[in-house]
Amino acid sequence: MRDKLRREHSAAPVFCIQGGGARGAWEAGVLAGLLKSGKITTPCAIWGTSAGALNALWSRDPSVQKEPLKLLDYWTTMASRFICLGILLISCILMIVWCIFYVFHLSLIIIFAVVIFLFSLISILCLLCLCKILKRLPGILPSSFVRLIIPRPKGIAPGWFVYTCVANVDSQSWPEQWEDTNDGWFFLKNDSSACSSENLHTGEMVDAFDVAVASASIPGLVRPTRLSGMTLLDGGLVANLPAGFILTNGATGGAYVLCIVPRAVEDLSHSDPIDRRTLDFLVHLKDEQEKHRSSSNDGSHNTGPAHALIPIFIISPKKKLKSGLCKFWCPLLRREFKQGNEEAIMFSNALKKFAAGNMSLMQEYLLENVMRSCEAPTGVSRKPLWLKWVNTRW
């Protein structure tokens, strides 16, 4: 594997950035640290889902390419807009309560009846979804409104390919994890100066920012986005860690693959369908890598599929992140961005020593070692209620 890095030292790596909500600030810190660490950690392509898709697109901003630490500005701007939105909503609720009590003089009985009515309405909608009478429950926020909260890149500079994973909820069934289809994938060319992504399935050009926002549209909260003849939602529903498409299709083109995962692998849930897919894929990948490594040591063969031949590393937080999915608090995001940046520098230093012959520091990032104590999920994956909100046909 070290020989692979030496032989292709001129080839750039491929980054796979997982979705993670507000944990994306840590991912942005990792990405900034990697971009500042030299050629060995400058990618030829970035594949992203949800928050990872936003980071991948923002990394093509000319100001970010000049100074990668400016990725943090996007996250603090988005957090500030979320906070303003929260203050506005609370103010509106207080105003409504004030009007009810002091203007209309409605009794508590009437207020209680309104609450019961709303609860009954939501229950009926859920029942209709469970009976598959409705295709899906609509989200609360329109995607056009969400595009006002998430900052648009100030420009697009030539750099690396940006691939974005989105979930096409028009599909009749839950997509297979290693499905050989281009449906639901968009890419921004490396030499493009326009914010336009191409649909890998149809070749149609659409706004790359709209695609990234669609990939980050949380089911049940954000309404689906209609783009390129598809109804699109959060890419995490299909591939929260978008490495599978790269490896099974041999579209890496780089010296190694780095998976940026904002949670420790041992913290991933076996019952949650999104975490389960990620775990199942990583365990399968580990087995294939170990099998190929064993065959290479025996001298029997040195060929095989892309997912067995290419070195794969995983970087995850050494300290558990507190931001979770929705804690968009600027001081917290700054701390986690700094944490990610420091951990990226540690990875880069270890990788440079690894390429030079010292393998000790790199062992903790190697896929086989990260996944050594993990077992493949067993049994049938549960389908929680929120999945019915996404698509009743799934």
Side-chain angles (χ1 to χ4, degrees):
M1 182 162 45
R2 185 172 69 249
D3 293 338
K4 172 78 173 176
L5 286 178
R6 284 174 170 172
R7 187 169 61 251
E8 300 190 14
H9 69 278
S10 60
V14 174
F15 297 161
C16 304
I17 311 181
Q18 189 177 26
R23 301 186 192 97
W26 174 86
E27 297 176 335
V30 171
L31 183 56
L34 294 171
L35 294 178
K36 285 179 69 70
S37 295
K39 190 173 184 179
I40 196 171
T41 53
T42 299
C44 63
I46 302 178
W47 297 64
T49 295
S50 195
L54 293 175
N55 280 323
L57 179 62
W58 289 336
S59 71
R60 287 284 299 272
D61 185 324
S63 63
V64 171
Q65 292 195 6
K66 185 176 181 180
E67 176 47 72
L69 294 178
K70 289 190 176 181
L71 266 174
L72 177 61
D73 295 342
Y74 279 103
W75 283 95
T76 54
T77 299
M78 182 166 59
S80 300
R81 293 177 182 178
F82 270 119
I83 293 172
C84 291
L85 175 63
I87 294 174
L88 179 62
L89 289 176
I90 293 173
S91 301
C92 291
I93 292 172
L94 293 176
M95 182 64 69
I96 291 172
V97 172
W98 182 84
C99 290
I100 289 174
F101 279 99
Y102 294 96
V103 178
F104 298 104
H105 302 288
L106 296 180
S107 65
L108 289 176
I109 296 177
I110 296 177
I111 296 174
F112 182 73
V114 171
V115 172
I116 293 296
F117 170 77
L118 293 175
F119 179 79
S120 301
L121 179 62
I122 294 174
S123 299
I124 291 171
L125 288 173
C126 288
L127 183 62
L128 292 174
C129 279
L130 289 172
C131 296
K132 299 185 178 182
I133 297 175
L134 290 179
K135 289 184 178 180
R136 68 185 65 87
L137 287 179
I140 299 172
L141 301 175
S143 57
S144 57
F145 181 74
V146 175
R147 287 194 288 271
L148 297 177
I149 298 176
I150 298 177
R152 174 182 283 272
K154 300 177 180 65
I156 296 294
W160 37 83
F161 288 96
V162 171
Y163 292 83
T164 303
C165 172
V166 288
N168 178 16
V169 292
D170 285 335
S171 58
Q172 295 293 325
S173 61
W174 184 287
E176 294 295 331
Q177 185 169 357
W178 295 290
E179 193 177 41
D180 287 330
T181 176
N182 296 329
D183 191 20
W185 288 91
F186 294 80
F187 80 102
L188 176 63
K189 292 182 179 180
N190 61 339
D191 57 353
S192 175
S193 298
C195 192
S196 298
S197 285
E198 181 179 335
N199 184 333
L200 282 175
H201 183 60
T202 64
E204 180 181 352
M205 303 298 295
V206 296
D207 190 332
F209 177 67
D210 290 349
V211 174
V213 171
S215 180
S217 297
I218 301 175
L221 178 63
V222 182
R223 295 176 190 171
T225 300
R226 190 71 183 172
L227 273 179
S228 193
M230 297 182 291
T231 305
L232 305 178
L233 262 179
D234 198 307
L237 297 168
V238 177
N240 203 34
L241 181 63
F245 186 90
I246 304 173
L247 300 169
T248 54
N249 288 273
T252 51
Y256 63 91
V257 174
L258 174 63
C259 298
I260 302 174
V261 182
R263 292 165 61 195
V265 174
E266 55 267 21
D267 292 337
L268 297 178
S269 170
H270 284 223
S271 58
D272 181 86
I274 293 179
D275 284 354
R276 183 188 175 97
R277 282 190 160 202
T278 301
L279 272 174
D280 191 40
F281 167 70
L282 288 175
V283 171
H284 171 82
L285 192 57
K286 177 202 71 172
D287 293 340
E288 291 292 317
Q289 290 262 307
E290 288 180 337
K291 180 181 178 182
H292 170 72
R293 209 82 67 223
S294 176
S295 299
S296 296
N297 292 336
D298 294 340
S300 56
H301 70 277
N302 194 33
T303 60
H307 63 266
L309 291 173
I310 298 172
I312 300 173
F313 305 109
I314 296 179
I315 181 170
S316 57
K318 297 182 181 298
K319 180 181 178 182
K320 188 173 182 179
L321 303 179
K322 297 181 179 179
S323 56
L325 286 174
C326 55
K327 294 180 182 177
F328 288 91
W329 180 243
C330 290
L332 178 59
L333 298 185
R334 289 192 184 96
R335 286 198 300 271
E336 294 189 349
F337 180 92
K338 181 180 179 182
Q339 176 185 339
N341 187 256
E342 292 171 349
E343 291 173 349
I345 294 173
M346 293 172 59
F347 172 85
S348 300
N349 292 335
L351 184 63
K352 291 172 183 176
K353 292 182 179 180
F354 179 51
N358 183 356
M359 299 182 64
S360 59
L361 295 177
M362 208 62 199
Q363 292 297 323
E364 65 175 293
Y365 301 105
L366 195 62
L367 173 71
E368 295 97 308
N369 294 333
V370 173
M371 299 298 300
R372 194 169 299 282
S373 60
C374 296
E375 297 181 357
T378 57
V380 180
S381 175
R382 68 180 180 88
K383 292 187 177 181
L385 184 60
W386 62 259
L387 192 58
K388 293 294 183 183
W389 287 52
V390 177
N391 193 336
T392 60
R393 294 167 294 190
W394 288 2

